[in-house]
Amino acid sequence: MWDGLVGVAKETYTASLGEGVVPRPLMMPLVRGELVGLIWVRPLKVGQDALAGIAELANIAAAAGADQVVLAWETHAATTCELPIVGPAPCLNMVLATRDGHVLHQFPYDEQLLAHSPEGWASVAPDWRSAPAPQPGGELVPPIQAAVNFSYTPIELNHPDPFGVTVVLMEEDGYRISLTEAFAR
């Protein structure tokens, strides 16, 4: 399963970078080993909004009762949060987390220029470099750590379908959510 999730994240990053877009942080919650879906963070404003927006990715995992979560983010997401960049950059970071802990995986890459748009945007292709060894308990940037922590905090909604209502509310807030067939409502 892990290799498939890494493949999805790398494909998503490759497609976004090829379009000249910085990939948004992504969460992939799992329940008993089954993927719930893909949740991309909503459009963010620099600063506190970015910190909150990334941490709020946890809402779907918490509502689904996830027992594992995978988060993927670009090292430069720290800039949007007004935090220092820690670790290799550019780099696709992925964390596999359970209630008991997490393992940080990093996939550094070099950017190969594909084209420049008339507006000055560059489209690039990642040239994936050798990945360092996974880091059990590796340091996570604060909004990612918050998303991991909140993923296991039960959501208390007085509603017959707390998962469904959470999905709707998050979509209304601008999160892009793609649920797997088993969890689609």
Side-chain angles (χ1 to χ4, degrees):
M1 173 69 83
W2 173 251
D3 290 340
L5 296 176
V6 169
V8 165
K10 283 185 171 182
E11 286 174 20
T12 299
Y13 269 59
T14 299
S16 292
L17 292 168
E19 295 172 2
V21 177
V22 176
R24 291 184 186 175
L26 165 68
M27 177 179 268
M28 299 173 272
L30 294 101
V31 174
R32 291 180 296 286
E34 190 171 344
L35 181 65
V36 172
L38 306 175
I39 302 93
W40 287 270
V41 78
R42 62 177 166 73
L44 303 171
K45 294 178 185 146
V46 174
Q48 284 298 119
D49 182 63
L51 293 167
I54 293 170
E56 289 168 359
L57 285 167
N59 291 341
I60 296 285
D67 45 36
Q68 290 184 321
V69 294
V70 174
L71 282 99
W73 72 99
E74 162 58 53
T75 298
H76 284 96
T79 304
T80 306
C81 297
E82 297 181 322
L83 298 169
I85 292 176
V86 178
C91 182
L92 165 62
N93 300 280
M94 293 182 70
V95 63
L96 173 61
T98 65
R99 291 182 198 285
D100 300 325
H102 69 269
V103 178
L104 174 63
H105 299 261
Q106 294 179 307
F107 304 96
Y109 60 90
D110 293 317
E111 295 177 340
Q112 304 300 316
L113 181 64
L114 297 175
H116 274 104
S117 74
E119 298 82 25
W121 292 95
S123 62
V124 298
D127 182 13
W128 301 103
R129 300 188 333 229
S130 297
Q135 302 167 47
E139 183 180 357
L140 303 177
V141 292
I144 298 296
Q145 184 66 62
V148 167
N149 295 346
F150 295 144
S151 290
Y152 304 108
T153 303
I155 289 185
E156 296 180 22
L157 288 175
N158 188 13
H159 191 277
D161 183 11
F163 178 73
V165 87
T166 300
V167 169
V168 168
L169 291 173
M170 288 187 69
E171 286 178 331
E172 287 177 355
D173 283 345
Y175 290 85
R176 197 171 98 218
I177 300 171
S178 176
L179 299 175
T180 57
E181 191 174 308
F183 289 88
R185 303 214 181 254

